Amino acid sequence: MKKIFCAALLTVCIGLMDGPFARAGQTADALIFQTPETQKVVPNVGGEPPAMHSHGEGNKTVVASVNGVSLTLPSLIRMMDTINARQKQPAHTAEEMAALRKKALDRLIFEELAYQEAAGKGMKADPKEVDKKLEDLKAKLGGPEKFAEAITGKGMTEEEVRAEIARDNVLQRIFQQEIYDKVTVSKKEVEKTYEKEMDKYRIPAKAIVVDIVFFLDPGKDESVRKAQTVLDKLRKDRVADPHSLVPDGTFIVTDAELSDKEQPELFEYAKKIKPGEYSDIIRASDSIHILLVKEYTPENRYPVNEVKGYLQARIGSEKHLKRMHEWESELKKGADIKIMDTGEAASLLGGATGTHEQQGQ
């Protein structure tokens, strides 16, 4: 049977391993039925995109076996392509490609072990769910005829596609049972993490101001006197909106939000001024200012209730990843794993070669 590793396992396995919040995998139709125009390929070291799928599903080159079940070259190439597309920094160098190849092969082995575990427990796909997914694929491809053309072009039959969807359904169930159902995040864990990382949830103080900026040399007394004339007028006439001032070419009036990170020099003055009042003349490092403080908000922190959902998701993802690695180790104990990678996938993608066996790891 042609090994097509679809959306659900990628959602669980790739999502967990490639980042705590990267939970959305490629859909089955995207992985199986990409057209030459839309299919993503991984560039090799020389920069030319290799014909990654030119081997086709008919290629029977075996790269590994898991308890007697063979994993083939097309599956390895497809997994390398998928992982590389999800990485922030796609692999390019020979060393990066070699690491990518190993990562992809490890995942294929893990998937097969997981599937065998599920089969051993008597897990079977839900026929209704399989039928629905198959109908969804047909609809996305433009109907039964387009679907038939697509799978024929891949050298597949409808029954083989159905079998892979069923496999995917079983993998969803075993991952749910062995990873997600075994992980909980308590209220105490959330609160403890919040207290430890409290500075991350800081809301900095800010001042909303009207800033009258003078294009005058702050080092000259004459500049200060000109600015003082404007300030005296504002205070005497009780001008509530400095935007009503008629510009004389020496200043502009702007609205600004100041904080200790954004314009810290002016912020230090602004936080000492009562809202609705004008500052004295401010000689900044490169200009002269008069500030009207409209609003001042002191420093605060997001309460734990507002970040609880984020913390639960993050802690949960970390625990899912840990549980996944534990389960992978459990599955490998006593397993007969042989790696016969000829390096063909690695050479296609610019990587390295290697052969070895793993028994009972």
Side-chain angles (χ1 to χ4, degrees):
M1 179 177 288
K2 301 165 179 65
K3 298 296 181 183
I4 300 175
F5 297 94
C6 305
L9 187 60
L10 289 173
T11 298
V12 175
C13 187
I14 294 178
L16 283 172
M17 300 178 86
D18 281 347
F21 303 105
R23 295 293 303 279
Q26 287 180 284
T27 59
D29 48 313
L31 286 173
I32 302 171
F33 304 115
Q34 288 171 315
T35 65
E37 292 77 15
T38 62
Q39 192 167 40
K40 293 188 71 175
V41 295
V42 182
N44 61 18
V45 177
E48 294 298 324
M52 290 176 54
H53 302 273
S54 61
H55 294 266
E57 289 293 339
N59 188 298
K60 298 298 182 181
T61 301
V62 177
V63 293
S65 72
V66 180
N67 295 324
V69 176
S70 297
L71 305 181
T72 61
L73 178 62
S75 295
L76 177 58
I77 294 173
R78 202 162 36 243
M79 183 62 83
M80 292 175 74
D81 188 13
T82 300
I83 295 172
N84 209 34
R86 298 172 69 85
Q87 296 182 148
K88 291 182 179 179
Q89 296 294 330
H92 291 288
T93 68
E95 292 78 10
E96 290 170 344
M97 287 297 181
L100 175 64
R101 177 183 59 80
K102 181 180 183 305
K103 192 175 187 180
L105 190 56
D106 285 345
R107 289 196 193 167
L108 289 180
I109 291 169
F110 181 28
E111 290 180 1
E112 181 57 36
L113 285 168
Y115 184 76
Q116 291 179 18
E117 177 77 0
K121 291 184 175 184
M123 288 187 179
K124 296 181 180 180
D126 183 331
K128 292 182 179 179
E129 291 182 13
V130 174
D131 288 342
K132 184 179 185 306
K133 181 61 181 177
L134 186 60
E135 290 305 311
D136 287 345
L137 284 175
K138 290 180 179 180
K140 288 179 181 178
L141 287 170
E145 291 185 5
K146 294 289 185 181
F147 170 81
E149 290 176 11
I151 64 175
T152 299
K154 293 292 182 179
M156 301 180 70
T157 67
E158 182 169 327
E159 285 308 305
E160 288 173 331
V161 174
R162 181 186 294 274
E164 290 304 329
I165 294 173
R167 174 190 176 89
D168 179 64
N169 187 274
V170 171
L171 285 169
Q172 288 186 58
R173 295 175 61 193
I174 191 66
F175 269 78
Q176 183 69 41
Q177 181 183 98
E178 293 296 333
I179 297 178
Y180 294 103
D181 290 349
K182 293 189 176 182
V183 169
T184 59
V185 179
S186 68
K187 180 180 178 182
K188 186 176 181 179
E189 287 177 294
V190 170
E191 292 174 346
K192 185 176 179 180
T193 302
Y194 175 79
E195 291 172 4
K196 183 179 178 181
E197 303 175 350
M198 195 171 289
D199 284 348
K200 291 183 179 180
Y201 312 113
R202 170 178 173 263
I203 305 173
K206 67 178 181 179
I208 307 298
V209 304
V210 179
D211 185 10
I212 306 169
V213 187
F214 292 85
F215 305 114
L216 301 171
D217 186 347
K220 294 183 177 180
D221 292 340
E222 178 62 23
S223 299
V224 175
R225 284 194 292 270
K226 288 182 179 180
Q228 187 65 51
T229 300
V230 175
L231 177 58
D232 291 342
K233 177 177 176 57
L234 290 169
R235 286 175 171 169
K236 180 182 179 182
D237 297 343
R238 297 185 179 181
V239 176
D241 182 7
H243 289 285
S244 63
L245 290 172
V246 179
D248 62 3
T250 63
F251 67 87
I252 60 171
V253 181
T254 64
D255 294 307
E257 180 177 310
L258 309 177
S259 69
D260 55 1
K261 289 185 178 180
E262 303 257 341
Q263 296 181 288
E265 186 178 14
L266 290 180
F267 175 74
E268 286 302 312
Y269 286 100
K271 70 181 186 179
K272 299 173 185 176
I273 305 167
K274 292 181 180 180
E277 294 187 357
Y278 287 99
S279 69
D280 291 328
I281 301 301
I282 299 172
R283 289 193 186 194
S285 56
D286 58 355
S287 54
I288 294 175
H289 299 259
I290 298 172
L291 299 179
L292 170 64
V293 177
K294 300 175 70 175
E295 179 184 341
Y296 177 76
T297 305
E299 182 178 310
N300 204 344
R301 283 182 175 81
Y302 290 104
V304 65
N305 286 341
E306 290 190 19
V307 296
K308 179 174 63 176
Y310 159 73
L311 289 173
Q312 285 176 329
R314 201 194 77 196
I315 297 168
S317 292
E318 291 168 355
K319 295 177 77 171
H320 290 147
L321 181 61
K322 181 180 178 182
R323 170 56 193 155
M324 186 184 69
H325 287 313
E326 291 172 350
W327 185 45
E328 182 179 13
S329 296
E330 293 168 11
L331 291 174
K332 285 184 176 180
K333 289 179 181 177
D336 180 14
I337 302 172
K338 294 184 177 68
I339 295 179
M340 298 85 76
D341 185 8
T342 63
E344 186 177 359
S347 63
L348 279 172
L349 299 168
T353 63
T355 63
H356 65 281
E357 293 189 8
Q358 303 177 34
Q359 295 214 12
Q361 292 186 0

